[in-house]
């Protein structure tokens, strides 16, 4: 980058200050974007950690966060986000959850949000006793469940 004169013009050619300053602006905007992105990632990591903590202090009574049916009281939740409702092999679902599967319902973040507010209201007959009244807890739980996926996805 060429030095600037006191008049704000490039001392070497008197014609590039606008191009150089636009490059500097673009660089600054890129750096700001990276910083904002970094903070968003940090918030997501914090949400995932909070969700893991919530999971470990309540959900593990019935569920496991692996792809294996370690516990029999609830389906394994590894990779559940984006999967069909009522589709974990080896678990005996309630009629409402089996019907949801037949209807093609998927465990999207939005559906999980609604389910975690009141599971039995959404799918009558479900045996899930837990609900999450706090929006921040639901958001953290969904962030954690979304993180439970194979590394190559």
């Amino acid at each position: 980058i060429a030095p600037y004169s006191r008049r704000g013009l490039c001392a070497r050619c008197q014609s590039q200050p606008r191009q150089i300053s636009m490059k500097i602006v673009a660089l600054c905007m890129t750096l700001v974007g990276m910083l904002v992105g970094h903070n968003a990632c940090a918030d997501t990591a914090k949400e995932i950690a909070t969700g893991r903590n919530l999971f470990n202090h309540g959900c593990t009574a019935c569920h496991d966060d692996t792809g294996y049916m370690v516990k029999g009281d609830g389906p394994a939740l590894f990779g559940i986000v984006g999967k069909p409702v009522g589709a974990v092999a080896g678990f005996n679902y309630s009629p409402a959850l089996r019907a949801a599967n037949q209807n093609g319902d998927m465990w999207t973040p939005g559906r999980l949000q609604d389910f975690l507010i009141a599971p039995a209201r959404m799918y009558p007959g479900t045996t899930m006793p837990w609900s999450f009244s706090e929006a921040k807890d639901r958001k953290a739980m969904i962030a954690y469940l979304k993180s439970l996926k194979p590394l190559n996805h």
Side-chain angles (χ1 to χ4, degrees), residues 2-138:
Y4 288 96
S5 68
R6 286 187 171 204
R7 293 181 295 159
L9 299 175
C10 176
R12 189 172 355 144
C13 64
Q14 301 290 317
S15 64
Q16 291 185 341
R18 180 168 218 121
Q19 291 174 340
I20 292 172
S21 65
M22 292 307 287
K23 289 179 183 176
I24 292 171
V25 169
L27 177 64
C28 290
M29 289 175 68
T30 301
L31 292 173
V32 168
M34 289 170 58
L35 291 173
V36 169
H38 174 73
N39 288 339
C41 290
D43 290 343
T44 301
K46 184 177 179 184
E47 284 177 350
I48 290 170
T50 300
R52 180 182 304 115
N53 188 44
L54 289 167
F55 186 89
N56 288 335
H57 286 92
C59 306
T60 55
C62 302
H63 298 279
D64 63 89
D65 55 2
T66 70
Y68 308 100
M69 286 295 296
V70 175
K71 315 232 177 181
D73 295 328
L77 298 179
F78 185 86
I80 199 73
V81 178
K83 298 267 174 110
V85 171
V88 173
F91 186 72
N92 185 25
Y93 287 96
S94 68
L97 287 165
R98 286 194 298 269
N101 179 279
Q102 294 296 316
N103 291 334
D105 290 359
M106 303 291 283
W107 283 125
T108 63
R111 185 174 305 279
L112 283 165
Q113 171 83 358
D114 295 342
F115 181 71
L116 293 174
I117 292 171
R121 184 174 22 168
M122 187 168 180
Y123 294 116
T126 185
T127 57
M128 183 165 148
W130 288 88
S131 63
F132 295 85
S133 59
E134 297 285 329
K136 64 180 177 53
D137 291 342
R138 291 189 304 274

